[in-house]
């Protein structure tokens, strides 16, 4: 009838999560959860004996080599992304989807990219609804959105039937 309950108060928390998991038996994630829940701090790392000094040196060297390569290739990748039509703002963006929408006045519109359509046709919407905002991250990561794109995306995803009279065909 299932596993017997484990007595977490009797665990030797000086051991690593991996070692405790083997002794109980339990999953490492479960051990980590109980360690935090009972306030026993972070798990100590796997004993250094288990990894030879030579293996650790190889890993450090590989990491340095990878960082050096990234220093050279990252600016090239960034420049390529900026010039690629798949990552640029426009109809050919990799995340573009096909849309059929109906305006409140009954006009039908068909296009490939909602963000591009809104940028190209701001006159169709209330001026305050097309003020662009950013989402996510300290470094400006994440995406742009405005009230129009958020509202129509909610319609497309089935969260609402219409947004300010705009709907799907």
């Amino acid at each position: 009838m299932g596993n017997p309950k484990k007595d977490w108060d009797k665990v030797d928390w000086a051991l690593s999560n991996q070692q405790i998991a083997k002794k109980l038996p339990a999953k490492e994630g479960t051990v980590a959860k109980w360690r935090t829940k009972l306030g026993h701090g972070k798990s100590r790392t796997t004993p250094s004996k288990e990894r030879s000094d030579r293996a650790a040196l190889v890993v450090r060297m590989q990491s340095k080599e990878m960082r050096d390569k990234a220093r050279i290739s990252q600016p090239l990748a960034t420049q390529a992304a900026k010039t690629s039509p798949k990552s640029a703002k426009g109809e050919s963006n990799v995340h573009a989807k096909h849309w059929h929408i109906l305006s409140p006045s009954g006009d039908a519109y068909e296009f490939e990219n909602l963000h591009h359509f809104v940028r190209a046709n701001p006159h169709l919407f209330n001026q305050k609804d097309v003020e662009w905002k950013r989402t996510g991250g300290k470094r400006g990561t994440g995406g742009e959105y405005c009230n129009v794109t958020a509202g129509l995306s909610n319609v497309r995803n089935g969260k609402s039937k219409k947004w300010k009279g705009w709907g799907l065909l």
Side-chain angles (χ1 to χ4, degrees), residues 6 8 17 21 24-32:
K6 294 169 181 52
W8 294 101
N17 288 349
L24 283 179
K27 293 184 178 180
E28 281 185 60
T30 305
V31 174

Side-chain angles (χ1 to χ4, degrees), residues 68-141:
D68 290 342
K69 286 180 183 177
R71 242 181 246 113
I72 295 166
S73 63
Q74 184 62 47
L76 299 173
T78 301
Q79 186 57 39
K82 286 180 179 178
T83 59
S84 170
K86 288 186 176 187
S87 62
K89 294 177 182 178
E91 278 192 304
S92 60
N93 184 282
V94 69
H95 299 292
K97 293 180 175 68
H98 191 76
W99 288 78
H100 279 97
I101 61 172
L102 189 64
S103 73
S105 62
D107 297 327
Y109 298 94
E110 184 176 354
F111 52 89
E112 290 302 318
N113 183 331
L114 177 62
H115 286 71
H116 178 71
F117 176 77
V118 173
R119 282 189 196 98
N121 300 288
H123 60 279
L124 297 175
F125 307 98
N126 184 330
Q127 186 179 0
K128 287 193 177 213
D129 290 335
V130 290
E131 291 175 5
W132 291 91
K133 306 160 192 148
R134 292 218 41 94
T135 178
K138 293 179 182 175
R139 293 175 286 152
T141 56

Side-chain angles (χ1 to χ4, degrees), residues 10-24 31 35 40-47:
K10 294 181 180 176
V11 170
D12 179 7
W13 294 107
L15 299 173
S16 71
N17 288 349
Q18 185 179 26
Q19 292 167 327
I20 295 170
K22 282 181 184 175
K23 279 188 172 189
L24 283 179
V31 174
R35 179 184 294 276
H40 290 286
K42 289 187 175 183
S43 169
R44 67 182 188 85
T45 57
T46 307

